[in-house]
Amino acid sequence: MSYDAVFDLVSITLEGTEISELDDMIEEMVNEQALLEDDSFDHPLFPAFPKRHICPLRSLVTSRQTIVEQEDVTEHRTDMQGVAWREGELGRKAYRCYRNRFGTPMYMFYHGSRTLEENRQTLDYANNEYFRFRYTDTNIHCSHRHPQLRNLVAATSKNDVYYLYENSIQHWSPQLRTSTTILGSPLRNAHARVPHRITTMAAMDHNLLVGGEDGSFTFMNLQTCQKPVFGTFTNGEYLEINSIEMSHSRTGASHAYVSTNDPIVRCVDLNSLETYAEYPTEWFVNYTAQSPDAHMIAIVGDGLDGQVLSVNSKEVIATLKGHQRFSFSCAWSPDSRMLATGSDDQSTCIYDTRKMSEPLHVLASDIKESVRALRYSACGRYLVMAEERDYIHIVDTTSDYKKAQKIDFIGDISGISLTPDAEGLFVGVSSVDFSSLLEFERLYHGSDTLQSDPWGSFH
């Protein structure tokens, strides 16, 4: 497609407002790119990539900072990704518009499908800040392998965060601000074999479990970090592991629900690594989550309707209706009363377990892309929703799911994780030009003033 064909519109519109300056910036950027004759361009602020990726940055970025702290953002020296944009926010919007026009089209899996029905609740984002940016190091990089699987960040404490980079598992210490490889290359441990292409991961307490596209897994005890166990959950069948969720049984034992590209959910004992329960479904499973009271599991996948099953009897308790495309995420509130499901139809449905025949809320008209990950905070007050890229929505559940904070950045999201104490939030950004691990801290407001900072000892 030629540049003229792409830019044949009179103006660019953002949220219904014509911005002629933005159109001028993009036109100038494209004209500058057209003058380059080589296939790659070395930019002093970013690695060398094909010019279709680097030229928007060359035109729109004035400087880039490696270490970004809270003060850098509040004093407007850079954004939270260390980028100082030409013309500020206007430059960032110009880059996003350029990327959206030239990049891979979204929803390729639903080409020709019916138009989505718009019956969604509008969230109030005005003056809401529940989590504040704290720190990032742009030399720390995250990755994801599958366009729809984005559960590749896991925090087991406020000082232990695990994430995928290339095909290795890294440990990030927010206190020391250091990253260490614990699984995969460049380690030379003969026992540390990992799946050829890691697609998902989960960590809880001292357990780490990663899964790959061929059905293989690696399990590691995070206390000893020695002799990881490599195996398969699918009896040698080439079945991609779509998600892993760890939880505790009613007896307190640790287990994991493994969702794969077949109509079976496997419950795996994390001591023996043996599958001791299977839950059949009618479609391939993308995500499974157990209620905190350990009585129910929610299952979503390649079907429009999800299901809630009894853990013990395996009977279907409820069929979850409300989505118009396949779903890839679900999460329970800590009291097991509310269930959230996220879908490729760009919505999150909230169900009350006392009446699951229809969603209590359908969020939100502001969501622009697929909802790839959902997390409730341990206190139950916040529901974090991650889109495929660029946006995190943090919903205040005490407002009847009406108020929210939107975190806005540039790049694909590889995963999100709240710390077990709900004081910290980590977001993996995996786009090649903006890859990093963003850290946020929870704010406490009393009479509109910030109270204690539980992370203060780290400063």
Side-chain angles (χ1 to χ4, degrees):
M1 181 180 294
S2 67
Y3 296 130
D4 292 338
V6 175
F7 287 89
D8 58 358
L9 299 178
V10 175
S11 64
I12 296 208
T13 302
L14 288 176
E15 299 179 357
T17 302
E18 184 177 277
I19 305 179
S20 57
E21 296 90 345
L22 183 60
D23 202 41
D24 293 340
M25 290 182 73
I26 294 182
E27 183 177 1
E28 178 183 345
M29 179 177 64
V30 172
N31 290 338
E32 183 175 353
Q33 171 167 313
L35 296 175
L36 296 176
E37 297 179 354
D38 57 341
D39 291 332
S40 63
F41 184 83
D42 291 327
H43 190 273
L45 306 177
F46 295 88
F49 292 106
K51 65 181 181 181
R52 64 180 180 276
H53 294 294
I54 201 66
C55 285
L57 295 177
R58 177 182 185 272
S59 302
L60 297 173
V61 174
T62 61
S63 66
R64 195 177 194 198
Q65 195 166 307
T66 301
I67 303 297
V68 188
E69 303 199 54
Q70 193 177 102
E71 294 76 15
D72 298 314
V73 177
T74 56
E75 295 177 10
H76 307 290
R77 289 193 288 267
T78 74
D79 66 9
M80 69 180 70
Q81 295 175 281
V83 177
W85 295 93
R86 175 181 160 195
E87 304 296 333
E89 183 64 20
L90 188 63
R92 189 164 72 137
K93 289 179 179 179
Y95 173 81
R96 183 175 279 156
C97 286
Y98 177 96
R99 180 205 63 187
N100 291 348
R101 289 191 174 196
F102 280 98
T104 303
M106 308 307 295
Y107 313 115
M108 66 183 74
F109 304 100
Y110 301 99
H111 178 70
S113 63
R114 63 190 176 95
T115 303
L116 297 176
E117 299 174 8
E118 296 295 336
N119 59 343
R120 299 170 189 174
Q121 178 178 317
T122 299
L123 292 172
D124 176 12
Y125 294 100
N127 304 316
N128 299 323
E129 186 179 20
Y130 312 128
F131 285 79
R132 176 179 60 187
F133 172 78
R134 179 171 178 267
Y135 180 85
T136 195
D137 181 344
T138 60
N139 286 326
I140 302 300
H141 302 296
C142 298
S143 302
H144 73 274
R145 294 290 188 179
H146 190 287
Q148 296 169 301
L149 307 180
R150 306 297 182 90
N151 293 287
L152 293 163
V153 176
T156 58
S157 75
K158 68 179 182 181
N159 198 42
D160 297 284
V161 186
Y162 302 90
Y163 63 97
L164 179 73
Y165 173 53
E166 294 185 338
N167 207 52
S168 63
I169 303 300
Q170 311 288 321
H171 171 263
W172 168 253
S173 170
Q175 184 175 21
L176 300 177
R177 293 180 175 174
T178 58
S179 182
T180 307
T181 303
I182 64 167
L183 266 180
S185 178
L187 298 179
R188 301 303 181 190
N189 187 341
H191 299 286
R193 183 181 174 188
V194 296
H196 176 61
R197 290 176 63 90
I198 294 174
T199 54
T200 191
M201 61 178 285
M204 182 186 73
D205 302 333
H206 57 271
N207 300 309
L208 171 69
L209 187 60
V210 301
E213 67 175 9
D214 60 353
S216 63
F217 71 87
T218 299
F219 172 83
M220 172 181 276
N221 184 309
L222 295 172
Q223 288 182 325
T224 63
C225 292
Q226 295 181 3
K227 294 186 177 180
V229 178
F230 180 84
T232 179
F233 294 129
T234 59
N235 297 321
E237 293 186 68
Y238 198 96
L239 297 173
E240 187 168 57
I241 298 180
N242 294 327
S243 67
I244 300 169
E245 170 132 331
M246 294 182 177
S247 55
H248 295 105
S249 69
R250 276 183 281 175
T251 63
S254 298
H255 57 203
Y257 289 93
V258 179
S259 304
T260 56
N261 263 357
D262 65 354
I264 298 173
V265 175
R266 297 164 176 83
C267 188
V268 177
D269 181 273
L270 291 179
N271 289 319
S272 65
L273 298 179
E274 296 291 334
T275 299
Y276 71 89
E278 293 185 347
Y279 299 84
T281 68
E282 298 177 356
W283 20 256
F284 289 0
V285 181
N286 294 324
Y287 203 93
T288 304
Q290 177 187 276
S291 61
D293 63 13
H295 286 283
M296 299 174 285
I297 56 171
I299 306 173
V300 297
D302 291 355
L304 300 186
D305 302 335
Q307 290 184 328
V308 175
L309 274 62
S310 165
V311 169
N312 285 342
S313 70
K314 304 181 183 179
E315 294 179 352
V316 176
I317 297 174
T319 298
L320 305 173
K321 295 186 176 294
H323 285 301
Q324 302 168 61
R325 289 177 176 170
F326 299 163
S327 298
F328 284 82
S329 56
C330 57
W332 294 88
S333 63
D335 60 5
S336 300
R337 289 184 58 181
M338 308 300 287
L339 171 64
T341 59
S343 169
D344 271 351
D345 66 7
Q346 304 162 253
S347 76
T348 294
C349 288
I350 309 295
Y351 301 88
D352 188 323
T353 55
R354 293 167 295 184
K355 183 185 177 183
M356 291 189 281
S357 57
E358 60 181 3
L360 185 65
H361 304 283
V362 181
L363 310 175
S365 61
D366 308 274
I367 295 176
K368 302 179 186 303
E369 297 185 354
S370 300
V371 178
R372 293 297 183 212
L374 294 168
R375 301 288 187 272
Y376 272 97
S377 62
C379 62
R381 178 165 182 174
Y382 302 112
L383 171 64
V384 183
M385 307 186 298
E387 295 190 34
E388 191 157 300
R389 59 184 180 182
D390 293 356
Y391 300 105
I392 301 290
H393 308 261
I394 305 175
V395 182
D396 182 357
T397 64
T398 64
S399 68
D400 195 27
Y401 293 83
K402 293 178 180 178
K403 294 186 176 183
Q405 172 189 359
K406 182 186 291 185
I407 299 175
D408 182 343
F409 50 91
I410 296 289
D412 286 318
I413 299 170
S414 64
I416 58 172
S417 185
L418 288 155
T419 56
D421 59 6
E423 301 294 346
L425 169 65
F426 294 87
V427 178
V429 182
S430 51
S431 289
V432 67
D433 296 323
F434 299 95
S435 180
S436 64
L437 185 65
L438 303 176
E439 299 181 33
F440 299 85
E441 61 186 355
R442 182 177 172 183
L443 294 181
Y444 286 84
H445 294 279
S447 302
D448 295 325
T449 60
L450 182 65
Q451 294 179 342
S452 61
D453 176 8
W455 294 52
S457 60
F458 284 2
H459 295 305

